[in-house]
């Protein structure tokens, strides 16, 4: 979300945002207690105290280092990944759960050689040829542009990851938060 956040701050320079990366359970807990105004989560879940506002869906793609044997392909069947070394999210992270389910459904076994809690570490591990990964396409534009990562699309399926804004049900937004939510939800399809 770096580009939309930068655009928002340019549009509203008087607003100060405090951004923090946190585990998904902590985000839900902090929002539910009212400790934070908003959370942005993948695969948002409904809870009685949480209001979910859909934001967008990210297209997930396979990435590898340019020197990797798969780098010569532009498209692959997911079944062709059987046995490849996978770098992915730690257990308990919703994106990991969704990807594990997709791999099982297609009968693909990929040993995890590294499990981490953020996309930046996944990208760096793929760049040094520790394995391949499946990540949101918007998160790798700089690396693809610089040539440090290669994208391979799946020819037999499209994997989408929903993102949502979560807030405490019944808690009114401040004007700044309302502007932020409107900005993100109006721009979401083009982000």
């Amino acid at each position: 979300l770096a580009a939309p956040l930068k655009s928002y701050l340019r549009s509203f320079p008087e607003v100060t945002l405090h951004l923090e990366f946190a585990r998904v359970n902590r985000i839900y807990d902090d929002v539910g207690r009212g400790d934070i105004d908003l959370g942005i989560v993948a695969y948002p879940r409904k809870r009685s105290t949480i209001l979910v506002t859909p934001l967008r869906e990210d297209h997930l793609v396979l990435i590898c280092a340019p020197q990797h044997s798969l780098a010569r392909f532009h498209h692959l069947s997911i079944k062709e990944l059987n046995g490849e070394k996978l770098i992915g999210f730690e257990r308990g992270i919703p994106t990991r759960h969704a990807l594990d389910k997709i791999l099982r459904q297609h009968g693909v076994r990929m040993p995890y050689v590294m499990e981490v809690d953020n996309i930046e570490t996944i990208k760096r591990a793929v760049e040094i040829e520790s394995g391949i990964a499946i990540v949101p396409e918007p998160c790798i534009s700089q690396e693809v542009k610089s040539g440090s990562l290669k994208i391979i699309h799946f020819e037999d399926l499209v994997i989408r990851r929903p993102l949502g804004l979560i807030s405490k049900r019944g808690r009114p937004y401040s004007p700044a938060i309302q502007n932020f939510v409107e900005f993100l939800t109006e721009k979401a399809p083009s982000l």
Side-chain angles (χ1 to χ4, degrees):
L1 292 173
L5 290 175
K6 189 184 293 185
S7 179
Y8 175 79
L9 291 172
R10 265 192 249 118
S11 299
F12 302 97
E14 69 284 358
V15 173
T16 301
L17 287 177
H18 173 81
L19 301 173
E20 183 178 328
F21 172 80
R23 300 279 184 159
V24 69
N25 289 338
R26 180 174 164 208
I27 296 170
Y28 279 97
D29 291 345
D30 287 352
V31 167
R33 284 191 309 268
D35 294 344
I36 61 175
D37 295 307
L38 290 174
I40 300 174
V41 297
Y43 298 96
R45 300 182 314 259
K46 293 181 180 181
R47 292 187 178 178
S48 60
T49 60
I50 300 292
L51 176 68
V52 175
T53 303
L55 185 55
R56 72 172 195 219
E57 288 188 341
D58 284 338
H59 179 218
L60 301 183
V61 294
L62 178 69
I63 59 170
C64 66
Q67 306 82 6
H68 194 280
S69 62
L70 296 177
R72 67 182 188 272
F73 298 103
H74 295 288
H75 294 85
L76 281 175
S77 166
I78 194 164
K79 292 185 183 296
E80 293 176 78
L81 301 181
N82 203 47
E84 291 288 338
K85 295 176 184 175
L86 183 61
I87 300 165
F89 291 103
E90 293 175 344
R91 297 173 212 264
I93 294 178
T95 303
R96 161 75 181 263
H97 176 73
L99 288 174
D100 284 351
K101 183 178 177 182
I102 290 167
L103 293 172
R104 274 193 312 276
Q105 287 172 339
H106 288 87
V108 176
R109 292 179 181 255
M110 298 176 71
Y112 280 91
V113 293
M114 192 178 298
E115 300 176 26
V116 299
D117 67 353
N118 67 80
I119 290 173
E120 290 304 312
T121 305
I122 290 173
K123 293 188 298 186
R124 301 300 80 84
V126 172
E127 285 175 336
I128 62 169
E129 300 183 65
S130 296
I132 62 176
I134 300 171
V135 298
E137 190 170 16
C139 298
I140 55 169
S141 59
Q142 291 301 323
E143 291 82 5
V144 170
K145 188 176 179 180
S146 73
S148 66
L149 290 175
K150 172 85 167 57
I151 291 179
I152 303 167
H153 294 275
F154 295 110
E155 63 189 19
D156 48 355
L157 79 154
V158 174
I159 306 172
R160 299 222 178 263
R161 180 180 81 156
L163 295 178
L165 295 170
I166 62 170
S167 58
K168 183 174 176 126
R169 188 176 297 282
R171 180 180 181 177
Y173 292 145
S174 70
I177 295 297
Q178 183 64 42
N179 269 345
F180 185 65
V181 170
E182 289 172 2
F183 184 87
L184 287 181
T185 54
E186 289 170 7
K187 303 247 185 227
S190 62
L191 299 178

